Amino acid sequence: MTTPPRILLDCDPGIDDAFALLCALRFTELAAITTVSGNVSINNTTRNARYLMDLAGADVPVHRGASAPLLVEGVAADEIHGSSGLGNLATPDSEHPESGLDAVDAILQYCADGDATVVATGPLTNIARALQKDPSLPERISHLYWMGGGTEGGNVTDRAEFNAWVDPHALDITLRSGISLTMFGLNLTHQVLMGQPEIDALRAARTSTSSVLADFLEFYRENGALHVEGQPMHDPCALLGLTHPDLFETTKSHIVTSTIDDEDRGRTFVHEPQTNVEHYVAVRADAPRVIDLIVQAAINPTPVA
Ligand code: RIB
Ligand code: CA
């Protein structure tokens, strides 16, 4: 049995982030969680991450991050994720302490020894701030797996995906930084649709996590309503792209974005690969097997032996 990869997860929970977090607990050695404002406010994303630690019985440090994008006004997606960020749940107070180290210093500390793997499922504000604080950071990150962007249109505008659009300057800094990364964009995540069959499977499992995650998925499906078959399960794709690479196909590319506040803000443009740029775009997923892993983790987030 191979050793699970050690990661830092930067996220904005958020319902699909919650599924990604449980996948991280099951399939990786989750060393740290950093939170960012995105789907909902930094207070709520941080509160939700701490609550999810209680729910999963996990003890991973949670580090509070950026309360707003680098330069543009912050927005929220509470119509999709609910006012708390976790559907109809009024997230209970958590016993899980919030770390005294903020997200940027947690990222720099986690990457200090080099060869670090980072998964990001929200706007890239924390990553960009860490790069601004220490421009040598890319030398110590082996790969960044990011849910965001896409090659076939957007979901917050018709051209830009939410995580990219919310903080286009953070995305631009990250793409120009030299970090080796894979983009799991909407073109990929819309292949991975979860709906009633998965809700039924989670309810039938009757574990402490599965019934709560079934509620989240029910809210997400009712408020997303993008596809008849179900709602794209975005964030777990980036995590599983690391832990189960055989379930994904990627192509080497050169990704750029626009920070101009017009119709192309946050759009991800995919160009021919360049030798000195390690960018990859995820283009295909084995959706049934990916969905099965997501359901497994939502039922039982205990690390696989
Ligand atoms: O566009 C989808 C992405 O935006 C997901 O990460 C979702 O959680 C939101 O952050
Ligand atoms: Ca997210």
Side-chain angles (χ1 to χ4, degrees), residues 209-228:
T209 52
S210 71
S211 44
V212 173
L213 274 284
D215 292 343
F216 293 171
L217 186 52
E218 208 149 61
F219 182 97
Y220 191 55
R221 193 209 43 197
E222 281 157 17
N223 292 277
L226 276 176
H227 301 269
V228 172

Side-chain angles (χ1 to χ4, degrees), residues 12 17 39 121 235:
D12 62 333
D17 301 76
N39 285 317
T121 61
D235 293 337

Side-chain angles (χ1 to χ4, degrees), residues 59-128:
D59 186 19
V60 178
V62 173
H63 306 270
R64 177 184 289 255
S67 57
L70 293 181
L71 296 176
V72 296
E73 281 292 302
V75 294
D78 44 9
E79 73 285 356
I80 303 240
H81 295 269
S83 54
S84 72
L86 293 178
N88 288 316
L89 178 73
T91 317
D93 288 336
S94 165
E95 299 299 317
H96 189 82
E98 182 180 325
S99 167
L101 195 64
D102 74 13
V104 169
D105 287 335
I107 291 167
L108 294 176
Q109 185 179 89
Y110 167 74
C111 297
D113 295 337
D115 198 26
T117 300
V118 176
V119 179
T121 61
L124 290 168
T125 316
N126 292 334
I127 306 296

